Amino acid sequence: MSNVYARSADSPPRAVRARGSLIWDETGRRYLDGSGGAIVVGVGHGATEVTDAIAAQLASVGYVHGSQFTTEAVDSYAADLATVLPMKDARIYPVSGGSEAVETALKLARSYHLARGEDRPVVIARTGSYHGNSRGALAVSGRPSLREPYTPWLSGTRFVAAAYEYRCPFPQAHPDGCAAEHARRLADTIDRCGANRVAAFIAEPIGGATTGACVPTPDYWPRMARVCRERGVLLIADEVMTGFGRTGRWFGCDHFGLRPDIMTLGKGAASGYWPLGLVACTGTVHDAQPANRFVHGFTYSHHPAGAAAGHAVLRLLRGILGGVAAKGDRLATALSAGLADHPHVGDVRGIGLLQAIELVADRSSASPFPRRRRVLEQVTRVAADDGMVVYGSTGCANGADGDLVLLGPPLVTTQDQLDTMAAKTIRAITEVLPR
Ligand SMILES: Cc1ncc(COP(=O)(O)O)c(C=O)c1O
């Protein structure tokens, strides 16, 4: 018996070493890390620049409470990060992960309005979304299978449809008119809540864990942002998965010229070396209330070692970012070439090194496999047996059914490794779902 409360029924292999885009288990088996864990590892495994920075920070100041001290690590990281964020006078609140960042962002949005004399209780989110597993973050997440056991605790959110181009909720308007339709629905939803009732609209600029690397049409974000601005609704861009170079730019927002009021970050921020999440807000949001009036805080927020890790990752990313778009194109091209005519591949999509393959039972109707067939689990297992780690997601089609294979390898993955990753992914899919 293990004393670990395991995350899955299968017993996973025990990892003993990881370098670059490779992981070894205790039997000596080698795996290509096609997903950087849960789309986390950007600068690669075993980056001594990061481990050295964390060690040096722990040796000087290991921990101080954020309300009692600041540190050079936190101050200099925030100053450097602010230069790449798509917002004016960014203020950064470091936390310990994506869900904590989302909790913080939601409370910040409400506090902002309260400080301005408006009690806005409602948050609007999107049906095809994932924002985390803590209660507040789950309340704004649209993934039914994760919400279901906790439904009595999840309230106060209104949902609009996600921009899911493969299964566009407005097929009659698709592709040229669907962004306008999304914006109209968002405006209607806000207006139906009543004047000054909606605090924020939270969404992933590019769909991640739930809709799988869904890139909206170019006019989607300008239209959605305008609706929010006109109604005083804060726009929270959740870039936990898409931030820090994953999509070929610093942030997903950068592809659309989107300038959110609040951003949530995590995963690639510290590339897995430290459990780091971040909330960034504009100077305007920050200045609406005195700092000590924001009723919030965690024991481990503003952690100096997290800041040292994040800063070391940021420095490394400056040298890596320029090559990500081309690597993403190479991976996408290889996946499309091998899968475009596969009868059970509905869509191959993505941007940069965030790519997804949507598997379907029937391509002409885009009907998904029933969940009980556990297609994704089979593909994941076959790939692992072949020394390849992929990430996945289920429920994209209707909340329960729908199989997505997600690839998000470290941004330092070599071109040869990307080709091998594509080949292994194609092989696993074809073995589980013969042509
Ligand atoms: C967009 C988004 N937000 C929030 C989260 C939650 O982050 P964490 O798992 O670090 O709590 C995730 C995790 O996948 C995510 O993809």
Side-chain angles (χ1 to χ4, degrees), residues 65-231:
H65 193 267
S67 70
Q68 295 165 340
F69 293 94
T70 187
T71 54
E72 209 281 319
V74 169
D75 292 340
S76 62
Y77 176 44
D80 206 0
L81 181 55
T83 64
V84 297
L85 288 168
M87 52 177 48
K88 201 161 170 252
D89 303 330
R91 308 299 165 90
I92 290 135
Y93 198 116
V95 293
S96 304
S99 299
E100 271 193 13
V102 170
E103 299 290 341
T104 305
L106 296 173
K107 289 167 81 175
L108 183 60
R110 176 158 170 80
S111 300
Y112 163 84
H113 291 294
L114 283 175
R116 297 170 68 252
E118 291 180 0
D119 180 354
R120 296 187 177 224
V122 181
V123 172
I124 297 181
R126 303 191 304 180
T127 46
S129 65
Y130 181 64
H131 298 293
N133 259 332
S134 54
R135 271 167 69 166
L138 195 56
V140 294
S141 294
R143 203 166 175 174
S145 59
L146 296 179
R147 293 172 61 91
E148 210 259 331
Y150 309 107
T151 313
W153 293 340
L154 310 175
S155 58
T157 307
R158 301 285 166 86
F159 287 93
V160 293
Y164 186 176
E165 297 308 301
Y166 178 59
R167 298 180 186 278
C168 182
F170 312 118
Q172 67 294 348
H174 185 80
D176 296 332
C178 48
E181 194 58 32
H182 279 290
R184 198 174 63 74
R185 303 288 176 110
L186 177 63
D188 284 353
T189 307
I190 296 171
D191 295 344
R192 273 203 310 274
C193 289
N196 301 343
R197 296 275 297 163
V198 177
F201 172 53
I202 181 167
E204 300 149 89
I206 292 167
T210 310
T211 49
C214 262
V215 184
T217 55
D219 57 336
Y220 175 84
W221 276 115
R223 287 176 185 275
M224 299 297 270
R226 194 176 321 127
V227 167
C228 291
R229 298 268 134 79
E230 285 168 359
R231 290 160 177 80

